[in-house]
Amino acid sequence: MEDRPVGQWLDELASKASTPGGGAGAAMNAAVGAALVSMVCNLTIGKPKYAEHEATMTEALAKAEDLRGRALGLAAEDAAAFEAVVAAYKLPKATDEEKQARTAAIQAALVGAAEVPLRTAALAAEVIDVAASILEGANTNVISDIAVAASSAKSALESGVVNVEVNLASMSDEQLRKETEARLAEYTPAAGRADVLIAQVRERLAR
């Protein structure tokens, strides 16, 4: 993901191929959000006017860079997870034994396919919170980019939720479904925090 030109990746996303797809797109949105947080930090650090916020910005920059790298990794993982589901559905089902093996393989693949967007949602929530942490001390010339970062991360979060839900719908393990839904519920409130942050930025821009 890190070495591929953006235009090439978008061509692949637009193609008839099933991967990359929406899950990878969600992770890339999270990466964009994290990158924008880094940009704001980089344009604030070292400026005397914002010296009192230097430590906050430096810490946020390190977090944002880590999140961006992890998001790119999730984009690649999502494609691999979906391909595993497709492969499982293609397994033979001529005999009862084959049917049982195929069903088990499908269920195992669905677990993996739900785990990646779940982690994307978690990461997106982190991006939103890091973006919020820099608003107070950010270079005022680029605070609009904090809102864009929050918007991108919110999109990643909501997309991750949808991709978890679509896999949960086909999972037969009720206990695992409930556990996954509970984990997902931990991250969804971050969408509201993103809305608050965007509103705060717009309020400042209107002054």
Side-chain angles (χ1 to χ4, degrees), residues 58 80 165:
T58 300
E165 290 173 344

Side-chain angles (χ1 to χ4, degrees), residues 87-103 105-106:
Y89 273 104
K90 289 181 178 179
L91 289 173
K93 50 181 178 178
T95 67
D96 288 341
E97 289 183 353
E98 287 180 345
K99 289 178 182 178
Q100 291 177 358
R102 177 177 177 272
T103 297
I106 290 171

Side-chain angles (χ1 to χ4, degrees), residues 111-125:
V111 172
E115 180 66 24
V116 177
L118 182 64
R119 287 160 52 202
T120 297
L123 188 147

Side-chain angles (χ1 to χ4, degrees), residues 173-186:
D173 189 326
E174 187 64 25
Q175 181 60 35
L176 184 56
R177 287 178 60 182
K178 289 181 179 179
E179 291 174 358
T180 303
E181 288 169 352
R183 290 172 61 194
L184 190 61
E186 296 177 19

Side-chain angles (χ1 to χ4, degrees), residues 147-174:
V148 180
S151 180
S152 296
K154 180 186 176 185
S155 175
L157 172 58
E158 292 176 335
S159 301
V161 169
V162 171
N163 283 306
V164 171
E165 290 173 344
V166 72
N167 287 291
L168 286 180
S170 299
M171 287 170 58
S172 59
D173 189 326
E174 187 64 25

Side-chain angles (χ1 to χ4, degrees), residues 11-82:
D11 285 342
E12 293 172 7
L13 187 64
S15 74
K16 293 180 180 180
S18 56
T19 58
M28 290 300 283
N29 276 333
V32 168
L36 285 167
V37 172
S38 291
M39 186 193 79
V40 174
C41 291
N42 280 320
L43 289 171
T44 305
I45 293 170
K47 296 189 180 297
K49 182 179 179 180
Y50 307 103
E52 65 180 295
H53 303 288
E54 189 91 1
T56 297
M57 293 295 161
T58 300
E59 181 180 354
L61 176 59
K63 289 181 180 178
E65 288 297 282
D66 175 64
L67 289 168
R68 178 159 62 104
R70 285 162 51 196
L72 288 175
L74 285 169
E77 286 184 47
D78 185 84
F82 184 78

Side-chain angles (χ1 to χ4, degrees), residues 1-15:
M1 293 299 300
E2 292 182 1
D3 299 327
R4 194 176 309 174
V6 173
Q8 178 187 332
W9 185 82
L10 290 174
D11 285 342
E12 293 172 7
L13 187 64
S15 74

